[in-house]
């Protein structure tokens, strides 16, 4: 059972005359405005022992009392699914997600997801929005993501993502003869005609910034390191495809498979068989919600990407 939240604070004179919810946001900054408004509405957050509306004005000296029991967010089912836990404490959980694991239930995928696994791992996560998941990885992208274990940590991590202080670095293998790194600053939104896809969309898109640098060039491919400044759906895949350097194995944004010019039979076979987009969330850095210290985690390349890089290396050597 999740521990109840019990807090008190006196309204300072300088906040007198402000709305109840605005004052609460200042005095209880560890919780989101939505949480606080909900607690005001259901009487768990009171002023001088009285229930008031969120928009009512309060005055200096008023005593705010918060006694709240976090409520179950949604009726998702816990499932015994193995998790590769890189780090865990009382506030955060860092997971190394394998290829093929969907992060959050959606239409057609209500079971077998990371969220279902998290609820089995710790039933208290059912009182945190989306079981504490604050950012996602595509089903066929491997690597690191962080989970908040309570409301305070959730609010803290969401703020960091909004303020772009979370470090998210990826390894990717792209098709083409890229000559240097750079930055893509192009908005991303829904594709105008293919609604299941995203696209660079100057009219209705949201800001999206991707930084990339070369790690190693091969004959027809490049291993790149990518750092996200924003976190739009399919951001790296869309931006790289827009530059005409799609990710190896990306059947959505990469187009039809083409045999690289001069490639060995072994490399062609490896590329044909590569089961997903060649993308791995390698490094994750954040400010810990409890200590305010910057912490960083790293995940090694999965075996399928290591094997592909080995084949690309071998193919490069045969032509040198």
């Amino acid at each position: 059972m999740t521990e109840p939240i019990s807090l008190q604070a006196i309204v300072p004179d300088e906040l007198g005359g402000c709305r109840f919810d605005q004052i609460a946001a200042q005095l209880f900054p560890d919780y989101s405005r939505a949480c606080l408004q909900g607690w005001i509405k259901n009487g768990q957050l009171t002023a001088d022992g009285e229930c008031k509306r969120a928009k009512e004005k309060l005055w200096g000296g008023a005593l705010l009392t918060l006694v709240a029991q976090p409520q179950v967010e949604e009726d998702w089912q816990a499932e015994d699914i193995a998790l590769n836990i890189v780090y865990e404490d009382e506030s955060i959980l860092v997971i190394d997600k394998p290829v093929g694991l969907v992060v959050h239930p959606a239409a057609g995928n209500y079971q077998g997801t990371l969220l279902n696994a998290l609820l089995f791992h710790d039933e208290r996560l059912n009182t945190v929005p989306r079981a504490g998941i604050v950012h996602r990885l595509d089903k066929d992208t491997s690597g690191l993501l962080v989970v908040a274990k309570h409301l305070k940590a959730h609010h803290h991590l969401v703020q960091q993502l909004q303020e772009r202080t979370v470090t998210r670095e990826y390894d990717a293998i792209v098709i083409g003869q890229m000559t240097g790194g750079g930055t893509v600053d192009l908005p991303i939104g829904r594709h105008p005609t293919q609604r299941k896809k995203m696209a660079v969309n100057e009219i209705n898109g949201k800001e999206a910034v991707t930084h990339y640098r070369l790690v190693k060039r091969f004959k027809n491919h490049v291993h790149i390191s990518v750092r996200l400044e924003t976190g739009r759906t399919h951001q790296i895949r869309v931006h790289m495809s827009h530059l005409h350097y799609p990710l190896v194995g990306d059947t959505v944004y990469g187009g039809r498979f083409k045999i690289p010019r001069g490639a060995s039979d072994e490399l062609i076979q490896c590329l044909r068989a590569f089961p997903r987009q060649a993308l791995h969330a390698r490094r994750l850095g954040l400010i810990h919600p409890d200590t305010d210290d910057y912490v960083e985690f790293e995940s090694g390349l999965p075996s399928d990407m290591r094997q592909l890089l080995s084949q690309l290396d071998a193919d490069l050597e045969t032509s040198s």
Side-chain angles (χ1 to χ4, degrees):
M1 186 70 176
T2 304
E3 290 293 319
I5 300 165
S6 182
L7 297 168
Q8 285 190 323
I10 295 175
V11 178
D13 290 338
E14 59 266 26
L15 292 180
C18 294
R19 288 169 49 124
F20 189 1
D21 57 351
Q22 292 173 337
I23 293 172
Q26 291 288 321
L27 298 184
F28 304 122
D30 290 332
Y31 301 97
S32 70
R33 181 72 67 90
C35 272
L36 293 168
Q37 288 174 335
W39 289 331
I40 292 170
K41 184 176 181 180
N42 63 29
Q44 292 179 298
L45 176 52
T46 60
D48 290 330
E50 298 180 2
C51 296
K52 296 182 180 292
R53 292 177 297 170
K55 66 181 182 181
E56 284 191 56
K57 292 181 179 180
L58 302 182
W59 305 98
L63 175 64
L64 301 193
T65 302
L66 171 61
V67 180
Q69 180 67 51
Q71 300 298 305
V72 172
E73 287 284 325
E74 295 184 69
D75 190 24
W76 302 117
Q77 298 300 309
E79 293 184 62
D80 186 3
I81 300 169
L83 291 172
N84 184 2
I85 298 172
V86 174
Y87 174 83
E88 182 175 17
D89 59 27
E90 289 301 310
S91 294
I92 65 171
L93 182 65
V94 178
I95 303 292
D96 196 342
K97 188 189 85 67
V99 172
L101 181 63
V102 174
V103 170
H104 191 274
N109 266 313
Y110 290 107
Q111 296 178 324
T113 73
L114 174 62
L115 183 145
N116 301 112
L118 288 170
L119 292 178
F120 185 89
H121 175 73
D122 188 341
E123 64 178 9
R124 294 171 297 179
L125 288 170
N126 64 7
T127 63
V128 187
R130 298 183 183 274
I133 296 168
V134 294
H135 65 117
R136 301 189 190 189
L137 296 176
D138 296 337
K139 175 185 176 182
D140 289 329
T141 297
S142 55
L144 300 173
L145 52 79
V146 64
V147 174
K149 295 182 67 174
H150 51 70
L151 290 173
K152 176 182 174 181
H154 184 270
H155 181 53
H156 200 289
L157 292 173
V158 169
Q159 280 190 314
Q160 289 187 58
L161 287 163
Q162 291 172 344
E163 294 167 2
R164 305 183 184 181
T165 59
V166 176
T167 300
R168 286 172 291 172
E169 294 184 1
Y170 294 71
D171 277 295
I173 304 170
V174 300
I175 301 167
Q177 296 177 317
M178 186 184 292
T179 57
T183 296
V184 188
D185 185 354
L186 292 169
I188 289 176
R190 286 288 168 193
H191 192 285
T193 58
Q194 302 176 57
R195 303 306 294 170
K196 291 186 177 181
K197 291 177 64 174
M198 308 300 288
V200 169
N201 189 324
E202 298 280 2
I203 299 173
N204 299 315
K206 295 182 179 180
E207 182 186 14
V209 182
T210 304
H211 306 279
Y212 62 97
R213 63 177 178 83
L214 274 61
V215 177
K216 186 169 183 178
R217 293 176 61 192
F218 303 97
K219 285 196 296 186
N220 300 288
H221 299 82
V222 185
H223 177 193
I224 61 173
S225 176
V226 184
R227 179 171 59 84
L228 288 183
E229 192 171 315
T230 55
R232 306 302 172 202
T233 301
H234 300 171
Q235 180 172 320
I236 294 172
R237 298 165 65 190
V238 170
H239 273 170
M240 289 299 107
S241 177
H242 185 79
L243 294 182
H244 305 294
Y245 299 114
L247 273 62
V248 168
D250 191 343
T251 58
V252 176
Y253 299 102
R256 186 171 53 85
F257 177 76
K258 297 177 182 177
I259 297 175
R261 186 173 55 188
S264 66
D265 291 341
E266 292 80 7
L267 176 58
I268 293 170
Q269 183 178 351
C270 183
L271 290 168
R272 282 190 183 279
F274 199 80
R276 56 154 180 141
Q277 65 265 8
L279 185 62
H280 176 70
R282 179 187 74 252
R283 180 175 291 126
L284 176 67
L286 53 96
I287 299 167
H288 195 285
D290 295 338
T291 65
D292 285 335
D293 292 332
Y294 180 78
V295 293
E296 196 167 84
F297 308 93
E298 191 151 353
S299 167
L301 278 175
S303 59
D304 59 353
M305 288 183 66
R306 292 200 308 271
Q307 182 181 359
L308 176 56
L309 288 171
S310 177
Q311 287 290 345
L312 289 168
D313 264 324
D315 187 65
L316 184 63
E317 289 176 5
T318 60
S319 64
S320 59

